[in-house]
Amino acid sequence: LVSVDSAPAHIAAAVGVPVVVLWGPGILDQTRPIPTTAAVEIVRVAVPCAPCYGTQLMKQCTRNICMEYITPAEVIEKASALLGLTAAQNISVV
């Protein structure tokens, strides 16, 4: 599963589905999905304003750069690795 930090990501991790989570304003150490039998890979970009979840800064955010800066290539790389694919077998975006 490829998901943002939301209920589907947490449910997938809880039932053993490999998941790639696109991480934004949340506090990773407090709210990350906990893997059971399958891997959970987090894709995030370190920006100076994150984590901001639950703060005044989040309420003022107009661009959500913590999510904008995550590239499709990063997500594909993590998902391919979870699936055990080599670079030649990489999944593609359509």
Side-chain angles (χ1 to χ4, degrees):
L1 173 71
V2 175
S3 176
V4 295
D5 177 31
S6 62
H10 291 270
I11 293 167
V15 298
V17 172
V19 61
V20 175
V21 184
L22 286 60
W23 200 267
I27 300 169
L28 186 65
D29 293 338
Q30 293 178 357
T31 60
R32 71 177 296 143
I34 306 298
T36 53
T37 58
V40 173
E41 291 289 337
I42 305 294
V43 180
R44 69 181 179 148
V45 177
V47 294
C49 52
C52 67
Y53 187 79
T55 69
Q56 190 62 32
L57 187 59
M58 183 178 180
K59 294 174 185 174
Q60 297 169 352
C61 182
T62 59
R63 287 230 12 237
N64 206 10
I65 62 171
C66 56
M67 297 300 286
E68 275 183 23
Y69 290 173
I70 296 172
T71 67
E74 291 172 295
V75 177
I76 289 169
E77 181 182 319
K78 292 282 188 178
S80 295
L82 272 183
L83 294 171
L85 302 176
T86 66
Q89 298 170 309
N90 247 354
I91 55 179
S92 61
V93 176
V94 270

